[in-house]
Amino acid sequence: MDPAIRLSDVTAGYAHDVTFSRLSLEIPRGRFAGIVGPTGCGKTTLLKTILGTHRVFHGSVRLEGAPVERVRPGAIGYVPQLGSVDWSFPVTVEEVIMMGLYTGRSFRPWPSRKERARVRELARRLGIHDCLHHHILHTSGGQRQRAFLARALASNPRLLVLDEPTTGVDIMTQHEILHLLGDINDEGITILLTTHDLNAVASHLPWVICFNHGVVAQGRPCDIFTSEVLTRTYGGDIVIVRHEDHYLIASGTPLRFSNGVH
Amino acid sequence: MEALLEPLEYEFFRHGLLAALLVGSLCGVIGVYVILRGMSYVGHGLSHAAFGGAVVGFTLNLNFYAGAGAMGLLAALLINRVTRSGEIKSDAAIGIVTTAIFALGVVIISRVRTFTQSFEAALFGNILGITGGDLLVIALVTAGTLCAIFLMYRPLLFSTFDSEAARVSGIRTDIVQLVFSLLLTLAVIASMNVVGVTMIAATLIAPAVTARMLTDSFSRMLVYSWILGAVTGVGGMYLSYFFNAASGATIVLFGALLFCLAALLRQIRERSLLRANLHRHGSLTHAHVHPSGHGEGYHGSGDSPDAIDAGAHPDPALFEAVQGHDGRRHAAP
């Protein structure tokens, strides 16, 4: 069986620099994986390459065996970074979810009864049915993330890609979102996300890819979250404290203040 | 009622009224996408390019619409092309492309002085000089644009809100952008003789921003803006008749007045909601607003609920009420 994602010998970047070169990576179907790495290491470029929205200089990207440019509309669900969303845009939560149902087959502006039912079903499942008619600005960080997740799930995707879903939300919301993604993954949907939150990844994700202009290491967090791998990934001292199944990952030496406050 | 019917006895007024109604509807609908796609300056720039094109067309013995249309379209394509790489922002591209074409028109006019009179209508609008042919062009462009917006409602909305996700969903956002640029160009050219090059931007933007003040839903904003555009056109025409003022400018001023009223209405509504929220919590000392929007939660115009929680009160008087008389903010009971 073809893997969910296969990058073969891919080189990608921009006009003046190459972000990563000769990258080969396979992610099997049904995997729940996170990509971690420092800012500017190419995580977002890698994600966009997998989504087919970033042109590659060399190599091929295939999703479940098909070239990414020929994948059926809706086969990939995408949740952008919440920081990139225009929150003043006049859309309700319902309208956001409804966008995910567009397949290019209908020219009718208003949704069908079936589409409305699908939106309600997704909203109930993700716990946001109470705020369906609220403007997106008037929802909490967790509800916003769930609204975009519902939009991504609306087209029944085989692959779900999320760009930093744990950024900008509190620790409990992070926990809820990652558990929700775990439940979605249990239904057989492959999930790939990027994050800066190593602690959340270590305790919630079964598979991690350490990335810095190429794959530094990949595997289960318990196997690859070592000082050596993380130092190679981030280029600085990383301290890892393990307690039962929990990790606390910190970087560098704590600041000492001259006024005696530590 | 008689006062409203009286001007209809004149054919020039009937033509002007119909033109204002059609252009108002057209700009009302297109304007929603213009402001949400951050293209407010594009409408302004395209009208200048179309003016330059009309002058060039005149020297080549071409029809007004052919010259204006060709140059407007060329400007739209050039702006798209220049901004595609992302290195040059759209405002800079509009500044160079459309102003250069406008300057070309001005140079030609300055060389052949007899043009000056002919193009005043395009610059400042001459709604009372609208001919049957002009009306036909405006009607065709309005009908075509409304049909296109109707059929492309979903891909246009998705690509306007989140272009990257729309592309992942299989929407050809480049084609959507191109078609929209074409529709905008047609709308600008059809409106040029009605409100004039100098005032098209306001005609495009005013109904849409007024509608934005009245709703948080995209579909409602589109309908409100459509209606407001038509009301602005018709209302402005009557006001210009009663006050014997320039029609294009009166339409724009009436649109600005409606915007001020909508902004005031929104502010009053926000204040009353905030007051109601303060009272609901049993004390004016608790200014908490539920981010999840239970009941009539926060309905602000840009600040996040967190900003309100942090004490960023929009109204100093209310902030004083939330504070105790000793000047410090009290904790919620």
Side-chain angles (χ1 to χ4, degrees):
Chain A
M1 194 194 292
D2 290 305
I5 301 165
R6 175 181 283 151
L7 274 76
S8 310
D9 214 16
V10 173
T11 301
Y14 301 87
H16 299 290
D17 63 316
V18 170
T19 309
F20 50 82
S21 63
R22 303 275 169 181
L23 174 70
S24 292
L25 176 69
E26 271 191 21
I27 295 176
R29 293 185 191 201
R31 177 151 286 172
F32 183 9
I35 304 171
V36 297
T39 306
C41 73
K43 293 191 299 289
T44 301
T45 307
L46 174 61
L47 227 53
K48 288 183 177 181
T49 303
I50 290 167
L51 292 169
T53 58
H54 190 87
R55 193 181 288 176
V56 299
F57 298 148
H58 182 267
S60 68
V61 181
R62 300 179 87 87
L63 303 181
E64 297 195 347
V68 66
E69 57 276 10
R70 288 198 207 140
V71 167
R72 76 159 170 90
I76 311 170
Y78 172 58
V79 179
Q81 274 187 46
L82 291 191
S84 68
V85 175
D86 174 8
W87 296 109
S88 66
F89 197 99
V91 275
T92 59
V93 170
E94 185 183 34
E95 285 172 324
V96 169
I97 303 173
M98 201 69 76
M99 287 177 201
L101 289 170
Y102 179 73
T103 55
R105 287 186 200 143
S106 167
F107 289 111
R108 206 170 52 168
W110 53 85
S112 65
R113 194 176 295 175
K114 201 173 151 190
E115 286 174 324
R116 282 193 188 281
R118 172 83 175 133
V119 168
R120 279 198 298 273
E121 176 211 325
L122 279 165
R124 247 193 306 275
R125 187 178 153 203
L126 298 185
I128 48 172
H129 53 286
D130 285 341
C131 59
L132 265 181
H133 301 293
H134 293 170
H135 183 238
I136 43 163
L137 180 69
H138 306 147
T139 53
S140 66
Q143 288 170 332
R144 289 173 186 183
Q145 196 62 262
R146 285 162 190 263
F148 281 87
L149 193 54
R151 183 183 74 177
L153 291 172
S155 58
N156 289 317
R158 302 279 306 137
L159 168 66
L160 188 60
V161 176
L162 304 97
D163 198 1
E164 300 191 15
T166 55
T167 301
V169 289
D170 64 68
I171 195 164
M172 290 312 293
T173 309
Q174 271 183 11
H175 175 83
E176 282 172 22
I177 290 167
L178 291 171
H179 273 268
L180 186 59
L181 290 174
D183 293 343
I184 292 166
N185 177 245
D186 287 342
E187 294 167 17
I189 297 174
T190 309
I191 298 179
L192 182 66
L193 59 86
T194 61
T195 182
H196 284 292
D197 198 318
L198 296 178
N199 294 310
V201 166
S203 35
H204 290 91
L205 264 63
W207 197 264
V208 181
I209 299 163
C210 293
F211 195 83
N212 192 347
H213 299 288
V215 176
V216 177
Q218 62 170 316
R220 295 183 304 161
C222 59
D223 295 330
I224 66 156
F225 272 6
T226 62
S227 285
E228 189 261 324
V229 169
L230 293 180
T231 299
R232 272 201 291 141
T233 307
Y234 287 90
D237 289 337
I238 305 274
V239 179
I240 301 172
V241 180
R242 233 179 247 204
H243 173 69
E244 294 174 355
D245 288 339
H246 296 282
Y247 293 76
L248 181 64
I249 301 164
S251 66
T253 314
L255 277 176
R256 302 281 172 198
F257 295 96
S258 56
N259 61 3
V261 179
H262 298 284
Chain B
M1 193 66 193
E2 215 168 279
L4 293 177
L5 292 174
E6 183 207 314
L8 293 176
E9 288 170 13
Y10 306 105
E11 191 187 19
F12 72 88
F13 188 86
R14 287 200 302 273
H15 276 186
L17 192 69
L18 191 55
L21 175 73
L22 291 172
V23 164
S25 310
L26 175 64
C27 290
V29 171
I30 283 274
V32 169
Y33 295 95
V34 167
I35 64 160
L36 295 177
R37 292 173 91 90
M39 294 170 72
S40 302
Y41 192 39
V42 177
H44 184 71
L46 282 180
S47 62
H48 283 70
F51 174 80
V55 176
V56 172
F58 193 79
T59 58
L60 300 172
N61 287 324
L62 289 176
N63 175 278
F64 170 87
Y65 291 109
M71 215 53 113
L73 193 59
L74 178 70
L77 293 175
L78 277 173
I79 293 164
N80 266 349
R81 182 76 198 139
V82 171
T83 54
R84 195 179 292 170
S85 67
E87 285 174 3
I88 298 173
K89 299 271 182 208
S90 64
D91 54 349
I94 295 157
I96 184 72
V97 172
T98 61
T99 315
I101 300 173
F102 180 72
L104 179 66
V106 173
V107 164
I108 292 173
I109 287 173
S110 68
R111 294 281 295 165
V112 188
R113 297 211 169 262
T114 50
F115 284 175
T116 314
Q117 283 292 90
S118 319
F119 287 98
E120 246 180 39
L123 274 176
F124 303 107
N126 181 19
I127 201 165
L128 301 180
I130 293 288
T131 63
D134 292 331
L135 263 182
L136 183 67
V137 170
I138 294 168
L140 285 175
V141 169
T142 304
T145 303
L146 293 181
C147 279
I149 296 279
F150 182 87
L151 295 174
M152 290 175 62
Y153 176 86
R154 291 210 200 181
L156 252 176
L157 169 61
F158 201 171
S159 63
T160 303
F161 178 60
D162 188 346
S163 178
E164 183 91 28
R167 276 180 75 188
V168 174
S169 291
I171 293 171
R172 288 290 305 271
T173 52
D174 51 345
I175 292 177
V176 171
Q177 172 67 25
L178 192 68
V179 172
F180 181 71
S181 295
L182 178 66
L183 294 176
L184 178 59
T185 308
L186 290 174
V188 164
I189 293 160
S191 314
M192 258 173 76
N193 279 337
V194 177
V195 285
V197 166
T198 48
M199 285 178 238
I200 282 181
T203 317
L204 276 169
I205 295 162
V209 290
T210 308
R212 181 67 189 93
M213 291 287 112
L214 301 174
T215 181
D216 282 335
S217 156
F218 179 81
S219 51
R220 279 199 290 273
M221 180 182 170
L222 198 61
V223 174
Y224 289 177
S225 184
W226 184 4
I227 295 168
L228 279 164
V231 168
T232 304
V234 172
M237 270 301 288
Y238 271 104
L239 286 174
S240 77
Y241 177 83
F242 292 131
F243 291 106
N244 196 22
S247 312
T250 311
I251 289 171
V252 169
L253 280 177
F254 186 51
L257 176 72
L258 290 180
F259 169 73
C260 291
L261 288 174
L264 188 69
L265 195 72
R266 179 150 187 141
Q267 203 166 11
I268 291 169
R269 194 178 63 177
E270 276 177 19
R271 284 188 186 197
S272 65
L273 285 170
L274 190 57
R275 277 181 204 280
N277 226 4
L278 292 170
H279 284 291
R280 186 175 304 114
H281 286 78
S283 162
L284 281 177
T285 57
H286 188 170
H288 182 78
V289 180
H290 291 288
S292 57
H294 299 301
E296 300 95 333
Y298 174 73
H299 288 262
S301 56
D303 291 326
S304 72
D306 300 337
I308 290 291
D309 276 344
H313 296 275
D315 178 7
L318 278 174
F319 183 48
E320 209 171 276
V322 173
Q323 288 180 319
H325 49 77
D326 56 0
R328 283 177 301 177
R329 188 173 181 188
H330 290 195

